[in-house]
Amino acid sequence: MKELSVLLDLEAGRPIYEQIYDYIKREIREGKLKFETKLPSTRALSEHLNVSRSTVQLAYDQLVSEGYIESRPCRGYYVLKLDGLYDLTAVEYKEIHRSISQTVKYEIDFSPSGIELDNFPYNAWRKVSKNVMAEELDLFNIGEPQGDYSFRETIASYLHESRGVNCSPDNIIVGAGDQYLLMLLDRLLCAEHGNISYAMENPAYRKAYFVLNGMGRTVIPVPLDEYGMNVGVLRNSGAQVAYVTPSHHYPLGIVMSIGRRMEMLGWANEQQGRYIIEDDYDSEFRYRGKPIPALQGLDHNGKVIYIGTFSKSISPGLRISYMVLPDTLMDSYAKVGIRYSNTVSRIDQNIVNLFIKEGYYERHLNKMRGIYKTKHDALLAALKKMGKGYRISGESAGLHILLSSDKLSEVEMVQRAGRKGVRVYPLSEHYLDSHEEQNTIILGYARLREEEISRGITLLSEAFNEKNM
Amino acid sequence: MKELSVLLDLEAGRPIYEQIYDYIKREIREGKLKFETKLPSTRALSEHLNVSRSTVQLAYDQLVSEGYIESRPCRGYYVLKLDGLYDLTAVEYKEIHRSISQTVKYEIDFSPSGIELDNFPYNAWRKVSKNVMAEELDLFNIGEPQGDYSFRETIASYLHESRGVNCSPDNIIVGAGDQYLLMLLDRLLCAEHGNISYAMENPAYRKAYFVLNGMGRTVIPVPLDEYGMNVGVLRNSGAQVAYVTPSHHYPLGIVMSIGRRMEMLGWANEQQGRYIIEDDYDSEFRYRGKPIPALQGLDHNGKVIYIGTFSKSISPGLRISYMVLPDTLMDSYAKVGIRYSNTVSRIDQNIVNLFIKEGYYERHLNKMRGIYKTKHDALLAALKKMGKGYRISGESAGLHILLSSDKLSEVEMVQRAGRKGVRVYPLSEHYLDSHEEQNTIILGYARLREEEISRGITLLSEAFNEKNM
C-alpha cells in the first residue's frame, strides 16, 4: 500500500479535506497512483495525517463521486482507470491542474478566517504612520527585547480597562504573532520546569497545537462541555499547562462560565509549575450581555499567562501580538527570554501605540462591533428561516457561528453547499484526535456583506432541504 | 555557598562581565549577600552561567578593586563588610542603584553592535512608505507564510546579483530576524532528520547559540584556524549541521578561504542529512579585494541553507531577515513550515521591496560602504600609532576589528580603557566553552564619528602604555 505524503497547506485557508482530495486527484492524474492501487483506509490516513477520520472520509467521498476511486465493500478504496492522462508532461499537467482548481468556484465563502477591511480607517492609519516616521528616527535602531516601553504601557492600560487584566508594562512581551509568542513561552516554561506537557481544548485552534506539538511537547486533548474545558479530565491528564480560550472558544464559541474559570484556577493552584495560557484572540467582539473580564484578572497566584493580538481588531497583516507573563515567570524571562531579540518592527509598534493613544483604536473597535453585530444578526435571522432540524451555537461572540443538522452529516452539508457554490467549513478538522462523525459546520461572516450572508443562507437552505441532491 | 542566579541581560548591549559585577554588587548592597559569604569560584560560576572563566574573573577583579569582596589565597572570594547599606528601602535602593549605574560613564563606546543611522535615507524611506500605504490596502490582510511573492522575487534577484546565491523566490522564507528563522529551520531539520546536533564556530555569534541550545539541541563548539572552521574537528564531532559565517566570521573577522569552503561542502556531501547554515550577516561591507560570493553558490547538492538580514544594511529596528532553503528541505517546509504564519508585517515587506526596486537600497549601500570604509581606515591609522606589541585582525570586512596585546590580558585592557572613559569589549564572552585567558578586545566603529575613533584610540594608547595604572 502506497504511503500518501499529502502536503497539508493549512495556511492558505483551504479546508484540509479539499487538500487531501486535491492531492490524491493529482497523484492519480499524474499517474503516480496507478489503476488498481489500494488507498490507505480512512482510519490509517487520518492517523497518519493527524486529522479526523471524517475529514478523510469527506475527501474520499468526493473522489468517489467524481469517479477517481471506488469503494469496494469489505476491501477498501481503489484507484479507477483514467485513460489518456498518464503521459502528461509537467507543463501540461500544471495547466490541467490549474483548470481543475478553477472549476470549483464559490459564489459565497463563509470562511472563518480574516476580518472585514472595508471600514478600516486608512486615513487615520496613514496620518499616524506619517507622524511616527517624521519624528522618531531612533526607531531604526534596535529596541528592547520585550518591545518598546511606551507601547507596553499603552497595552497595559488598554488591557486593564477593557479586559480587567492586572498587569504592568514590565510583564508584557510584544511579539510577531501568537505562534511566535507560544514558541518563546514554551522556552521559558521548559527552562523553569523541564519538558512541559500541555492540555488543549478539543477541538482547538490548530495553529497553536502545531507549535506546541512541533516543539516536541506532549499535547493532551481535553474535551469541553457547555461551560468550557472539563477540569476532571484535565486533572487526570497529568498536563502541567492548560491552553484555553475562555472568552470565546475556538471553534465552538463556548464562553467559559465563571464557575469553570474558578475551577481552572483551582486546578492551577493545586501544584507548583501549573499554568493556564489564556488566549483571548477575539474578545473584542461580543454581542450579548456584558463583556466578560479576562480569566487573568481572577488570578492572584501568578498562574495565568494572557495572550492577545491585534490581528482581529486591527489587521492580521500587521503581525502584532502580546503576552502578559505572571511575576512567577519573569525570572525565567530575565534569564532565557531576554536572549531573544524582539520580532516586531519598532516603527510598527509606535504606529499602533499612537493609533491607540489618539483614540483611533477605540473608535474603530466600536464601529466594527456595530458592523459585525449587524452581520451576525443578519446571519441569525437568515438561519431562522431554514426550518426545523437545525441548531445554532457559539453565537454570543466572535466572528463565526456553528450550524448543526439533525439529518445531514458534516460531509453531506459541505458537499451539498459546494454544489450550490457556497463554501462552508467542516468542524471536524479542528479536532486533535480521530473523532466520531460530526454534523456541524462553521460559518464565518466577517468578510461577507449582509446581502451575501442572506443569499448564502438561502442557497444553503435549498441545498440542505432538497431531497435528491 | 549561595547560588548566584545572575540575570544575564544580553540584549541591552551591556558586557556580560559588567552584568555579573552589577548583580553581585547589588546583592551585597541590598544585604542579600552578607559579610563573610563565600562566592562561587570563577570556574563554578563560569560553568553555571555558561560564560568564559575570564569573564567572571573580570567581574570579580572589579569587585575586589572597589572593595566589595576580597580574594583570600587558597580559599576563594569573600564578601567584605559594608556598613550602613543593609537597611535600605526598595525606593532608596533604586535611587542608589541608579546613581551607581551612572557613575560609569563612557566618553567613547567601541560597541560592535548597532549601525550608523546619521546617513539613513529617511526621505526616500518616507516616500516609499507613503506610496506603499497609498496603494496597497490589501496589505492589511494576512499574507503567504513564506512572505509576499514579489518581495521574495526582489530578494532572489538581489542575492543572485550581489552574492552569487542560486535561488528561486519559491525557496525564500522571510522572517522576523535571524533568531526566529533559526527556530523555524530547526523545526524543519528535526521534522526531517530527528533530533539534530549542531556544530558552531568557537567563538561564535551567541544569539544563534542561545536559540539552538535553548531548543534543547546539542551544540558542539568547533575551533577555527585562519581559514575558517576546522573541518577535521567538525568531522569527528558527529554534528549533522554546521553553522558558519564564511564571509566574515563573527567575532574573529576571518574570511573562510575557498579551499575551506570546498572542504566544508565535501563534509556535507559525505552523508545524507548533513547541512551547512551560512549566516551572511554583514557581507555587504567589505574593504579589501573583490566581494567573495556566498558559499551557497558553490553548492550543487542542496546542502547549504543561506541566511541574510536587512539589520546591518538597512536597520536593526525593522526586524527583517530571510532564509534560502535548498530544494532538499522544501518538502519539509511544505509539511511543517507552512503551518507557521509569516512574522513580518506585509506593509514592511512591501516598503523594503519598493526601497530595493527603486534603487534606493543600492545607493544607500554604496554610500554606507564609503562611510564605513572611511571609519575603518581611520581606526586602522589610529591603531598604527599605538606602538609595538599590538596585533590587529579581522580588518578586511564588517563593522568591527580585533586588537590583541602582547603584554596585557583582555581583563587588563578592558579595565584600563574603562578608567579612561573608553568602553571596549572582551573577546572571551563569545566563546561557547570555558577558555584560556584572552588578550584580545573587540572594537566596533559603526556608530562612532571619525574624530571619536581617533580620540578613543589616543585614550586607549595612553591607558595601555601607562606603567602604573
Side-chain angles (χ1 to χ4, degrees), chain B residues 363-374:
Chain B
R363 246 170 287 161
H364 176 56
L365 274 182
N366 287 336
K367 187 177 184 182
M368 291 314 297
R369 260 183 218 113
I371 288 168
Y372 287 138
K373 173 84 161 74
T374 306

Side-chain angles (χ1 to χ4, degrees), chain A residues 88-349:
Chain A
L88 295 175
T89 64
V91 174
E92 284 172 326
Y93 161 67
K94 270 190 190 164
E95 276 166 14
I96 286 171
H97 185 58
R98 199 176 306 124
S99 72
I100 294 168
S101 304
Q102 285 166 353
T103 54
V104 187
K105 282 242 175 170
Y106 293 98
E107 184 189 338
I108 290 159
D109 186 346
F110 283 100
S111 168
S113 62
I115 62 168
E116 197 217 83
L117 289 170
D118 297 346
N119 286 283
F120 188 82
Y122 293 106
N123 288 331
W125 189 266
R126 282 193 201 103
K127 197 180 134 202
V128 166
S129 303
K130 202 178 150 199
N131 289 345
V132 165
M133 275 192 273
E135 288 166 26
E136 310 275 357
L137 303 187
D138 174 58
L139 297 180
F140 288 89
N141 278 317
I142 194 148
E144 294 173 64
Q146 291 187 235
D148 274 21
Y149 197 81
S150 59
F151 185 36
R152 288 188 274 137
E153 281 180 318
T154 302
I155 294 173
S157 74
Y158 166 72
L159 288 180
H160 184 69
E161 285 162 31
S162 306
R163 305 291 307 125
V165 170
N166 292 318
C167 67
S168 127
D170 295 329
N171 291 40
I172 293 179
I173 322 287
V174 173
D178 300 2
Q179 289 187 307
Y180 173 72
L181 287 174
L182 275 180
M183 288 164 98
L184 182 62
L185 176 60
D186 180 71
R187 303 259 52 72
L188 307 186
L189 290 168
C190 291
E192 196 78 354
H193 301 286
N195 197 343
I196 289 283
S197 61
Y198 293 91
M200 280 190 101
E201 295 160 329
N202 188 29
Y205 178 52
R206 285 184 72 93
K207 288 194 142 191
Y209 173 76
F210 293 140
V211 169
L212 300 176
N213 181 255
M215 306 286 265
R217 307 289 160 249
T218 305
V219 182
I220 303 154
V222 173
L224 300 95
D225 60 24
E226 57 186 306
Y227 305 114
M229 182 179 263
N230 186 320
V231 178
V233 177
L234 169 63
R235 188 169 281 114
N236 291 330
S237 74
Q240 290 144 283
V241 178
Y243 172 98
V244 290
T245 47
S247 296
H248 185 234
H249 175 262
Y250 193 85
L252 297 182
I254 291 163
V255 178
M256 193 184 284
S257 68
I258 180 73
R260 189 58 54 84
R261 287 168 193 240
M262 299 311 291
E263 271 186 77
M264 289 290 301
L265 287 171
W267 165 83
N269 288 329
E270 278 162 22
Q271 270 183 36
Q272 263 234 319
R274 280 191 180 164
Y275 293 97
I276 298 166
I277 303 174
E278 175 178 28
D279 187 349
D280 209 24
Y281 70 104
D282 73 352
S283 61
E284 292 83 4
F285 306 114
R286 182 167 172 75
Y287 313 114
R288 217 178 251 185
K290 284 196 301 178
I292 297 170
L295 173 56
Q296 196 266 11
L298 301 170
D299 169 34
H300 302 294
N301 299 299
K303 288 296 187 176
V304 177
I305 299 132
Y306 178 93
I307 296 182
T309 177
F310 292 109
S311 285
K312 294 279 180 189
S313 58
I314 300 183
S315 145
L318 264 187
R319 317 306 305 135
I320 308 186
S321 296
Y322 45 86
M323 165 163 83
V324 182
L325 294 177
D327 286 336
T328 46
L329 284 171
M330 288 309 295
D331 263 12
S332 178
Y333 182 80
K335 264 187 255 177
V336 175
I338 213 163
R339 295 174 169 184
Y340 295 81
S341 300
N342 196 278
T343 46
V344 179
S345 147
R346 290 186 68 207
I347 293 174
D348 294 342
Q349 292 184 47

